[in-house]
C-alpha cells in the first residue's frame, strides 16, 4: 500500500501550531510584567492564549456526542515475556483461560489500551491476549534500539509461546497488520498448527510519511512530544483526529482516546516503526498465507483506503473482505461494537473449523473395536460357573433330573 502522508502532516501542523500558541502566550505574559501598564492589552491576549492552550480541550470535546454506555472491561491477568531485543514486553490476558485465544496486535502508533473497548466484548467467549510493542505502553525499549518487521515477528512469536501451542487467531490493526503478516511470512510452519486464522483491521503496510519527515521526528523527538501534548490540551489533535482518523459520527470518548494516543506515543518509537515499514516487502508472502484471513476496511479511512484493503484480501488464498461504511482508520476506538461483532463472527468460523476437524470422522468410528462385537477367545457354556435355579412342583418338591447336576449320585 502506498504511504499516506496527509494525516501525518495535519497532525504535526496542529501540534506545532498548538505549541506556538502556548509559547507566544507565555512570552506575552512574561514580557508584560516588565512594561505595565503600557502592555496590559498584550497581557490579556497572552492570558487568553495560555488559557486556550491549557483548557481548550473541554469546549472541543463538547462538540462531540457522548458514547453509549459500555460494559466494564474484565480484569486482566498480567504477564510478560522477553522480546527479540531483550526488552520485557507487557502482556495481559482476559477471558477464560481454557478458551480459544485471540491475540490482538496494535501498530507502532498506539499501545494496548486501544483494544480496551473491544476486549470487553470478546472476553466473555474467548481468551483475549493484548500486549505492548517494544517502547510503547508498559513495554521496555529494545536494548540495542533496533526496530524492524523481523523483530516485530519475533516479539509476536514470544507472546504466542504463552499459549503453549494452542492455535490462535491473530488480529492486527493498522501497522500491526504488517507485524502479523511478517510473522506469517517468517513462521510459515506454524500456520494451521499455532495460527488458526488472521484478521487484518485497517491494514497499513507502508510508512505514514516520507523518510525525511520521519528522520526529522527522530532528531526532534522531545520537541515533537511537547507539541503533541500541547495539541492534546488545547483540542487541536482532537480536530485533526476527526478529519484523519475517525469516521462519520465519532463520540467524544473516541476523539479523546485517539488524540491521547498521539500525545502519549513516543515520536522516536513511532519513527523507528515507520522506518521499519519503508523497505518492507510483504506481498511475496501473501500467497503462502493459507489459513482463513479477514481484511476489514473503513468507509472513511484515508490511511488504509477500502480499494487497497480489498486488493489485499483478493491476494490472499482464503481471504474475506468486509467494509464497515461509517468508520475511519481508528475504527476499534470509534465503533468497538462493530469490530467486536465482526471478529466474533470470524472467530466462530475459524475455531468452528478446528473443532470440526477435531471430531472423529465416520470412518474412524467404524474402524474402532466395539465392545458389543469384542472377540472372546474362550467360548462360554452352561457348566462354566452356571448355578441352576431350583424348580419346584406345587408341593414344594423339586423335579428330578432337571439341571446340569441331574443323575449324579
Amino acid at each position: 500500500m502506498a504511504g499516506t502522508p496527509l494525516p501525518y502532516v495535519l497532525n504535526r501542523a496542529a501540534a506545532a501550531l498548538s505549541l506556538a500558541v502556548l509559547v507566544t502566550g507565555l512570552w506575552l505574559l512574561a514580557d508584560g510584567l516588565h512594561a505595565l501598564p503600557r502592555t496590559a492589552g498584550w497581557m490579556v491576549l497572552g492570558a487568553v492564549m495560555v488559557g486556550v492552550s491549557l483548557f481548550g480541550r473541554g469546549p472541543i470535546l463538547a462538540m462531540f456526542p457522548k458514547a453509549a454506555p459500555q460494559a466494564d472491561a474484565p480484569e486482566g491477568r498480567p504477564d510478560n515475556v522477553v522480546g527479540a531485543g531483550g526488552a520485557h514486553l507487557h502482556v495481559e490476558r482476559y477471558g477464560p483461560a481454557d478458551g480459544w485465544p485471540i491475540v490482538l496486535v496494535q501498530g507502532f502508533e498506539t499501545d494496548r489500551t486501544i483494544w480496551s473497548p473491544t476486549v470487553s466484548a470478546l472476553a466473555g467467549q474467548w481468551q483475549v491476549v493484548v500486549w505492548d510493542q517494544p517502547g510503547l505502553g508498559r513495554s521496555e525499549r529494545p536494548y540495542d534500539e533496533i526496530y524492524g518487521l523481523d523483530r516485530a515477528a519475533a516479539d509476536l512469536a514470544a507472546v504466542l509461546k504463552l499459549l503453549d501451542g494452542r492455535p490462535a487467531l491473530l488480529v492486527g490493526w493498522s501497522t500491526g497488520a504488517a507485524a502479523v503478516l511478517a510473522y506469517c511470512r517468517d513462521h510459515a510452519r506454524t500456520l494451521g498448527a499455532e495460527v488458526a486464522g488472521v484478521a487484518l483491521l485497517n491494514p497499513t503496510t507502508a510508512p505514514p510519511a516520507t523518510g525525511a519527515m520521519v528522520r526529522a521526528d527522530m532528531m526532534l523527538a522531545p520537541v515533537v512530544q511537547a507539541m503533541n501534548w500541547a495539541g492534546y490540551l488545547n483540542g487541536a489533535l482532537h480536530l485533526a483526529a476527526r478529519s484523519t482518523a475517525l469516521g462519520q459520527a465519532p463520540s467524544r470518548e473516541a476523539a479523546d482516546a485517539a488524540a491521547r494516543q498521539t500525545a502519549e506515543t513516543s515520536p522516536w518509537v513511532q519513527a523507528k516503526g515507520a522506518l521499519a515499514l519503508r523497505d518492507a516487502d510483504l506481498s511475496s508472502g501473501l500467497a503462502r498465507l493459507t489459513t482463513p484471513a479477514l481484511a476489514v476496511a473503513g468507509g472513511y479511512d484515508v490511511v488504509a483506503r477500502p480499494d487497497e484493503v480489498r486488493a489485499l484480501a483478493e491476494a490472499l488464498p482464503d481471504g474475506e473482505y468486509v467494509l464497515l461504511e461509517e468508520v475511519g482508520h481508528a475504527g476499534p476506538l470509534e465503533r468497538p461494537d462493530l469490530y467486536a461483532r465482526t471478529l466474533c463472527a470470524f472467530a466462530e468460523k475459524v475455531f468452528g473449523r478446528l473443532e470440526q476437524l477435531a471430531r472423529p470422522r465416520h470412518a474412524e468410528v467404524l474402524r474402532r473395536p466395539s465392545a458389543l462385537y469384542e472377540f472372546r477367545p474362550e467360548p462360554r457354556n452352561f457348566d462354566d460357573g452356571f448355578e441352576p435355579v431350583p424348580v419346584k412342583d406345587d408341593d414344594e418338591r423339586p423335579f428330578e433330573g432337571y439341571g446340569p447336576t441331574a443323575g449324579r449320585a
Side-chain angles (χ1 to χ4, degrees), residues 1-4 202-207 303-305 307-313:
M1 296 181 181
T4 310
N202 307 91
T204 304
T205 58
V303 179
R305 296 186 178 92
D307 55 341
E308 297 176 339
V309 179
R310 180 189 290 273
L312 176 64

Side-chain angles (χ1 to χ4, degrees), residues 220-305:
L220 303 173
V223 177
V224 175
Q225 189 93 58
M227 287 166 39
N228 289 340
W229 274 112
Y232 173 76
L233 292 175
N234 70 3
L237 283 185
H238 299 75
L239 296 177
R242 174 66 181 85
S243 59
T244 61
L246 301 174
Q248 187 175 14
S251 64
R252 69 181 61 175
E253 290 80 4
D256 190 61
R260 191 175 186 87
Q261 287 285 348
T262 302
E264 290 182 340
T265 302
S266 167
W268 172 271
V269 176
Q270 186 175 1
K272 296 289 272 186
L275 290 177
L277 294 174
R278 184 186 57 176
D279 301 324
D281 182 17
L282 300 172
S283 58
S284 59
L286 296 180
R288 296 193 295 270
L289 185 56
T290 56
T291 60
L294 174 69
V296 179
Y300 286 82
D301 195 342
V302 297
V303 179
R305 296 186 178 92

Side-chain angles (χ1 to χ4, degrees), residues 67-394:
Q70 298 180 359
D72 295 334
E75 185 177 354
R77 302 181 296 275
D79 208 334
N80 71 85
V81 297
V82 179
H88 288 268
L89 306 179
H90 180 75
V91 183
E92 291 180 0
R93 288 190 273 182
Y94 299 84
D98 58 348
W100 291 107
I102 300 178
V103 181
L104 306 178
V105 185
Q106 78 284 347
F108 300 110
E109 313 91 352
T110 61
D111 60 23
R112 74 193 183 286
T113 58
I114 194 174
W115 298 112
S116 297
T118 309
V119 166
S120 59
L122 296 177
Q125 184 176 1
W126 320 103
Q127 178 186 179
V128 184
V129 181
V130 298
W131 59 292
D132 286 322
Q133 298 269 13
L136 299 175
R138 298 182 183 178
S139 292
E140 300 174 350
R141 287 189 180 185
Y143 294 155
D144 53 9
E145 291 291 346
I146 296 178
Y147 292 78
L149 283 185
D150 54 343
R151 283 288 184 90
D155 291 335
L156 180 54
V159 173
L160 291 179
K161 289 182 180 178
L162 294 175
L163 304 178
D164 297 325
R166 190 171 177 82
L169 170 60
L170 304 183
V171 181
W173 171 75
S174 189
T175 53
V180 169
L181 291 175
Y183 173 85
C184 295
R185 178 198 63 190
D186 298 343
H187 301 80
R189 59 178 177 79
T190 65
L191 299 180
E194 299 179 15
V195 178
V198 171
L200 310 174
L201 313 180
N202 307 91
T204 304
T205 58
T210 62
M213 295 178 180
V214 172
R215 288 191 177 87
D217 271 5
M218 295 179 62
M219 295 174 59
L220 303 173
V223 177
V224 175
Q225 189 93 58
M227 287 166 39
N228 289 340
W229 274 112
Y232 173 76
L233 292 175
N234 70 3
L237 283 185
H238 299 75
L239 296 177
R242 174 66 181 85
S243 59
T244 61
L246 301 174
Q248 187 175 14
S251 64
R252 69 181 61 175
E253 290 80 4
D256 190 61
R260 191 175 186 87
Q261 287 285 348
T262 302
E264 290 182 340
T265 302
S266 167
W268 172 271
V269 176
Q270 186 175 1
K272 296 289 272 186
L275 290 177
L277 294 174
R278 184 186 57 176
D279 301 324
D281 182 17
L282 300 172
S283 58
S284 59
L286 296 180
R288 296 193 295 270
L289 185 56
T290 56
T291 60
L294 174 69
V296 179
Y300 286 82
D301 195 342
V302 297
V303 179
R305 296 186 178 92
D307 55 341
E308 297 176 339
V309 179
R310 180 189 290 273
L312 176 64
E314 293 174 350
L316 298 170
D318 192 7
E320 179 182 349
Y321 173 73
V322 172
L323 175 64
L324 302 178
E325 294 281 357
E326 57 214 64
V327 302
H329 190 65
L333 285 176
E334 185 180 1
R335 290 296 306 272
D337 56 330
L338 288 181
Y339 279 77
R341 196 180 311 149
T342 303
L343 287 177
C344 279
F346 185 64
E348 289 176 355
K349 171 185 174 181
V350 169
F351 295 133
R353 179 181 298 185
L354 289 182
E355 293 174 353
Q356 184 177 7
L357 292 176
R359 294 172 185 166
R361 300 181 181 180
H362 185 64
E364 295 175 352
V365 173
L366 292 179
R367 284 196 296 267
R368 293 178 181 176
S370 174
L372 295 177
Y373 303 101
E374 183 179 355
F375 175 71
R376 299 182 182 273
E378 296 182 2
R380 298 176 62 88
N381 52 54
F382 286 105
D383 291 331
D384 185 13
F386 175 74
E387 293 294 337
V389 179
V391 182
K392 299 180 180 180
D393 201 351
D394 294 337

